[in-house]
Amino acid sequence: MSATMKDVARLAGVSTSTVSRVLANHPAISEETAVRVRDAMQKLKYQPNQIARSLSNRATHTIALIMPDPASYPLMNPFFVNAIRGVTTFARKHGYYLLLTYPENHDELTIIKDLVGSRRIDGIILTSVKKDDAIMTYLEEYEHPYVVIGHPYEDQKTLWVDNDNYGIVYKITKRLIEQGHRKIAFLGGADDYRVTTDRRQGYLDALRDHNIPIDEKIIYREWFSESIAAEITRKILDYCMPDAVIATDDTLALGVERTLSEQHHAHDVAVIGFNNTQVAQYVRPSLSSVEINAELLGFYAAKLLITRLQGKPQHTNHLLIEAEFIERESSRVSRKA
Amino acid sequence: MSATMKDVARLAGVSTSTVSRVLANHPAISEETAVRVRDAMQKLKYQPNQIARSLSNRATHTIALIMPDPASYPLMNPFFVNAIRGVTTFARKHGYYLLLTYPENHDELTIIKDLVGSRRIDGIILTSVKKDDAIMTYLEEYEHPYVVIGHPYEDQKTLWVDNDNYGIVYKITKRLIEQGHRKIAFLGGADDYRVTTDRRQGYLDALRDHNIPIDEKIIYREWFSESIAAEITRKILDYCMPDAVIATDDTLALGVERTLSEQHHAHDVAVIGFNNTQVAQYVRPSLSSVEINAELLGFYAAKLLITRLQGKPQHTNHLLIEAEFIERESSRVSRKA
DNA sequence: GCCGGTTCTGCAACCGCTTGCAGATCTAAT
DNA sequence: ATTAGATCTGCAAGCGGTTGCAGAACCGGC
């Protein structure tokens, strides 16, 4: 098989300790020995065995990214590709590898316990914040380093990155109101996700601040598919004629648009999606959406985590990533105020 | 920290060898000792340290998935999410974790060498086949297990999964011809990718078999973006009026459609994309595309690799995954034959 | 020539688990 | 009672690195 430290040591005529120290750039090694050792390494094409190293070091230089189970959470694929990209970019630059997984049948906690207990990884990136999250509690208890993409309920010491979900929806809602819209429907995700409640709160507060009555009949709170969104839109239309619909994912927004088109209301109702997926610019009317900059979320999540792993001082435990409202045709609906 | 084998051994009043054997379900352990040991494990919440295990075993139960650098290869994002999903599904079911990475600046071979040399992983999944691929040569030389998504030039012993790229394009081209199309343009990828040459060959052979002259002026062979595809389409239109365009990615096809729409030819030219991305069904005219079943490609890639890693017999070294042509509006163009 | 202080290197233990081999214990046959 | 064989368990070496500590070699100063 391939060369080990012992081989290098033998060839260079030193002990393995010395080889190890050369590798670590230990100052107490004379330049000549270092050169001799490095020569030997070259000759043998030596590469240190990371596993052995990890065992000794208690560090694997690997971080895990836990995605939601795609089966139960089919939305937001583009979000994850981009987040992965951001994480990888930062991680690789600092010598870390990325272990990617998702629950799939097993409950998420089981996976986490396995990952943590087996000592395979140094830290974890979680991609959602749930109410009473057992995983966060577990990681907290075992003091296992982690960072979460999302806004934790207890956000004092946890590392996290997130968009200002409350703020962006507040702003969008306000804007819609100022443009003369009154009946604004809201299709959000499940209530136990913080991202959902934050966004809905932004929506609710904007209505309240502008003295618009809140109508629970046009507020939906589940994760669903394009077709269920279409279905719900039909219900909404049966109930009343909305001025605008905010959907927290482009896929849902597409479902909304579909029903609106079918009922010839495509240009009467403002529709706004989230995540600025590729489709948004190609549908007609093109879909206004919110770019959440998933790549940056991933990048900074990795940054917080790895900085922590390296024991470097951290000036902050969280970062807010700018989300940008991208206006397209779907929300440019004339409305006489 | 957390319990080790030694702790379990002490509590159960046995040696670590025994604990280890219990863990491995070694037959030479009496039921009573086994029970006593398992009790101790329970009490201590023992979880074996995978790193130590790997060191001893020379197996990490981790496989790497190498994606192309997204920066230089921005297309096909959905392909990768789906492939990842398939790989993960199979891998997790068999106790393997997924290490995900891509070159990013570094050349790919460097990463591979690091990954292989550092002994972090048991096997590798590559996601493209290039001509004279240094990586495959390297892996071959070091006899490191790998599987490739794509069709290797030397396909006798290499493990691989792929669509029948030649066949599907041949079929599509033939079909276009039978519908009366004659001038069929082809926008493919870079020539050193096997997927490109396979597809183009299918296209060329279909033309040849139907005695349609081949016009190099409407054959393009680079990876490019939506906007460059639009640009190229302009060139093509300047040169002649094509009957149909086959683009080996939906993003390119969208660029084609854009130019066609701008020049009011959207309904005169049949356009066919690849990868059946979400956009395909939402654009107007909706885009005919080829569903390559990336999830299955990933799933079976993992399967071939892991079966190999487990040393189980393998009846075949490759699998062909069905690709399905999905006809939508963009290719339903009336043409008087 | 002796001594204290540097500078450099090696010994050996350790990280936590696996496994070949030998030895202990027990059973049953002679 | 003796012994061969079967059954179970432990010893100790090994996987490939790291690191505290001790000691060797060398330095200049007195």
Side-chain angles (χ1 to χ4, degrees):
Chain A
M1 280 296 291
S2 54
T4 72
M5 212 164 225
K6 217 187 273 181
D7 301 322
V8 175
R10 193 178 313 120
L11 182 58
V14 296
S15 73
T16 59
S17 337
T18 302
V19 177
S20 172
R21 292 199 176 100
V22 170
L23 223 45
N25 287 318
H26 192 110
I29 296 287
S30 71
E31 193 46 33
E32 3 166 34
T33 351
V35 168
R36 217 165 65 247
V37 170
R38 277 194 265 267
D39 268 8
M41 288 181 177
Q42 286 273 324
K43 282 206 189 84
L44 298 175
K45 294 190 183 170
Y46 170 71
Q47 277 184 267
N49 180 321
Q50 275 304 330
I51 300 296
R53 214 173 218 200
S54 297
L55 182 58
S56 203
N57 278 339
R58 292 130 183 300
T60 61
H61 284 256
T62 304
I63 59 181
L65 177 62
I66 316 290
M67 310 193 333
D69 186 345
S72 61
Y73 197 91
L75 271 35
M76 298 178 67
N77 273 347
F79 169 80
F80 291 109
V81 207
N82 290 326
I84 289 172
R85 183 178 306 178
V87 171
T88 306
T89 300
F90 189 90
R92 290 305 302 135
K93 196 171 295 169
H94 295 263
Y96 280 76
Y97 277 104
L98 213 218
L99 196 69
L100 188 76
T101 195
Y102 53 82
E104 215 214 342
N105 309 329
H106 301 289
D107 91 300
E108 202 167 339
L109 188 55
T110 309
I111 296 247
I112 299 284
K113 281 186 180 168
D114 181 57
L115 230 32
V116 171
S118 68
R119 253 37 65 77
R120 283 169 181 284
I121 49 161
D122 297 342
I124 295 187
I125 300 180
L126 301 174
T127 47
S128 66
V129 174
K130 277 190 248 179
K131 205 177 286 183
D132 307 317
D133 196 326
I135 292 172
M136 289 179 55
T137 312
Y138 177 86
L139 292 174
E140 216 72 77
E141 185 187 335
Y142 283 78
E143 296 184 355
H144 197 276
Y146 74 98
V147 55
V148 42
I149 299 183
H151 191 160
Y153 291 93
E154 199 288 270
D155 61 5
Q156 296 309 306
K157 45 182 187 173
T158 307
L159 299 178
W160 58 278
V161 296
D162 200 3
N163 303 116
D164 176 10
N165 282 300
Y166 174 89
I168 186 82
V169 177
Y170 186 97
K171 227 168 68 185
I172 290 172
T173 311
K174 178 166 178 240
R175 183 192 169 106
L176 287 171
I177 295 170
E178 286 168 355
Q179 289 170 338
H181 301 83
R182 287 295 170 272
K183 278 212 122 6
I184 303 173
F186 186 87
L187 310 197
D191 248 13
D192 50 348
Y193 283 84
R194 172 95 192 227
V195 57
T196 303
T197 52
D198 278 0
R199 288 178 182 172
R200 196 178 49 234
Q201 203 53 50
Y203 158 79
L204 293 174
D205 285 0
L207 292 184
R208 199 162 288 142
D209 291 351
H210 293 77
N211 299 313
I212 311 247
I214 286 159
D215 185 349
E216 287 288 343
K217 288 224 177 58
I218 54 174
I219 300 180
Y220 285 80
R221 34 186 94 181
E222 282 149 78
W223 293 116
F224 30 55
S225 60
E226 194 265 7
S227 57
I228 299 191
E231 178 70 30
I232 284 179
T233 308
R234 258 170 254 130
K235 282 197 200 140
I236 293 179
L237 287 177
D238 284 350
Y239 167 71
C240 73
M241 184 65 196
D243 297 325
V245 181
I246 299 175
T248 58
D249 188 278
D250 282 353
T251 301
L252 305 183
L254 292 174
V256 174
E257 294 241 42
R258 179 150 65 90
T259 294
L260 290 177
S261 293
E262 279 166 17
Q263 308 205 5
H264 309 288
H265 289 310
H267 297 282
D268 309 335
V269 182
V271 177
I272 291 170
F274 254 84
N275 298 343
N276 194 30
T277 54
Q278 197 191 10
V279 222
Q281 54 184 304
Y282 285 104
V283 272
R284 289 296 168 267
S286 60
L287 182 63
S288 298
S289 187
V290 176
E291 171 58 61
I292 61 169
N293 285 314
E295 185 165 354
L296 286 182
L297 286 169
F299 185 89
Y300 284 105
K303 177 164 177 169
L304 286 179
L305 180 60
I306 289 174
T307 306
R308 156 87 193 273
L309 290 177
Q310 295 176 329
K312 293 190 194 155
Q314 194 113 277
H315 15 307
T316 174
N317 73 320
H318 73 273
L319 293 166
L320 281 182
I321 305 300
E322 195 74 25
E324 190 187 353
F325 176 59
I326 303 200
E327 171 143 59
R328 298 203 181 85
E329 295 161 7
S330 71
S331 64
R332 288 201 206 96
V333 169
S334 58
R335 183 84 54 207
K336 319 91 197 135
Chain B
M1 280 295 291
S2 54
T4 73
M5 211 163 225
K6 216 187 276 181
D7 301 323
V8 175
R10 193 178 313 122
L11 182 58
V14 297
S15 74
T16 59
S17 336
T18 301
V19 178
S20 173
R21 291 199 177 98
V22 170
L23 224 44
N25 287 318
H26 193 108
I29 295 289
S30 71
E31 194 45 36
E32 4 165 33
T33 357
V35 168
R36 216 166 64 246
V37 170
R38 277 193 265 268
D39 268 9
M41 287 181 177
Q42 286 273 326
K43 281 205 190 84
L44 298 176
K45 293 191 184 171
Y46 171 71
Q47 275 184 269
N49 180 322
Q50 274 304 330
I51 299 297
R53 209 172 223 204
S54 297
L55 182 58
S56 203
N57 278 339
R58 293 133 179 301
T60 60
H61 285 257
T62 303
I63 59 180
L65 177 62
I66 316 291
M67 312 196 328
D69 185 345
S72 61
Y73 198 90
L75 270 36
M76 299 178 64
N77 274 345
F79 169 79
F80 291 108
V81 207
N82 291 325
I84 289 172
R85 185 178 305 179
V87 170
T88 306
T89 301
F90 189 90
R92 290 305 303 137
K93 196 173 295 170
H94 295 262
Y96 281 77
Y97 278 104
L98 213 217
L99 196 69
L100 187 78
T101 195
Y102 53 81
E104 215 214 344
N105 310 327
H106 301 289
D107 92 299
E108 202 167 338
L109 188 54
T110 310
I111 295 248
I112 299 283
K113 282 186 179 167
D114 181 57
L115 230 31
V116 171
S118 68
R119 257 31 67 77
R120 285 170 179 283
I121 50 161
D122 296 342
I124 295 188
I125 300 180
L126 301 174
T127 47
S128 67
V129 174
K130 276 190 249 180
K131 206 177 285 183
D132 307 318
D133 196 324
I135 293 172
M136 289 179 56
T137 313
Y138 176 87
L139 293 174
E140 216 71 78
E141 185 187 333
Y142 283 79
E143 296 184 355
H144 196 276
Y146 73 98
V147 56
V148 42
I149 299 184
H151 191 160
Y153 291 94
E154 199 288 89
D155 61 5
Q156 296 310 303
K157 45 181 186 174
T158 306
L159 299 178
W160 59 278
V161 297
D162 201 4
N163 304 114
D164 176 9
N165 282 300
Y166 173 89
I168 186 82
V169 177
Y170 186 97
K171 228 169 65 185
I172 289 172
T173 310
K174 180 167 177 239
R175 181 192 170 106
L176 286 172
I177 295 169
E178 286 168 355
Q179 288 172 338
H181 301 83
R182 285 297 169 271
K183 278 214 121 4
I184 303 174
F186 185 86
L187 311 197
D191 247 12
D192 50 348
Y193 283 83
R194 172 93 192 227
V195 57
T196 303
T197 53
D198 277 1
R199 288 178 183 172
R200 195 176 52 231
Q201 202 55 49
Y203 158 81
L204 293 173
D205 285 1
L207 293 183
R208 200 163 286 142
D209 291 353
H210 291 79
N211 299 313
I212 311 247
I214 286 159
D215 184 350
E216 287 288 343
K217 290 226 178 55
I218 54 175
I219 300 180
Y220 284 80
R221 34 187 93 181
E222 284 149 76
W223 293 117
F224 30 55
S225 60
E226 194 264 6
S227 57
I228 299 191
E231 177 71 30
I232 285 179
T233 308
R234 258 171 252 131
K235 282 195 201 140
I236 293 180
L237 287 177
D238 284 349
Y239 168 72
C240 74
M241 184 66 197
D243 297 326
V245 180
I246 299 175
T248 58
D249 187 280
D250 282 354
T251 302
L252 304 183
L254 291 175
V256 174
E257 292 243 41
R258 179 149 65 89
T259 295
L260 291 177
S261 293
E262 280 166 15
Q263 309 204 4
H264 308 289
H265 289 312
H267 296 281
D268 309 336
V269 181
V271 177
I272 290 169
F274 254 83
N275 298 343
N276 194 30
T277 52
Q278 196 192 12
V279 221
Q281 54 183 304
Y282 286 104
V283 272
R284 289 295 168 267
S286 60
L287 182 63
S288 298
S289 187
V290 177
E291 171 59 62
I292 62 169
N293 284 314
E295 185 164 354
L296 286 182
L297 285 168
F299 185 89
Y300 284 105
K303 177 166 177 168
L304 286 179
L305 180 60
I306 289 174
T307 306
R308 156 87 194 273
L309 290 177
Q310 295 175 329
K312 293 190 192 155
Q314 195 111 278
H315 15 307
T316 174
N317 73 320
H318 72 272
L319 294 166
L320 281 182
I321 305 300
E322 195 74 26
E324 190 188 352
F325 177 60
I326 302 199
E327 172 144 58
R328 298 203 180 85
E329 295 160 7
S330 71
S331 65
R332 288 200 205 97
V333 169
S334 58
R335 183 83 55 207
K336 320 88 202 147

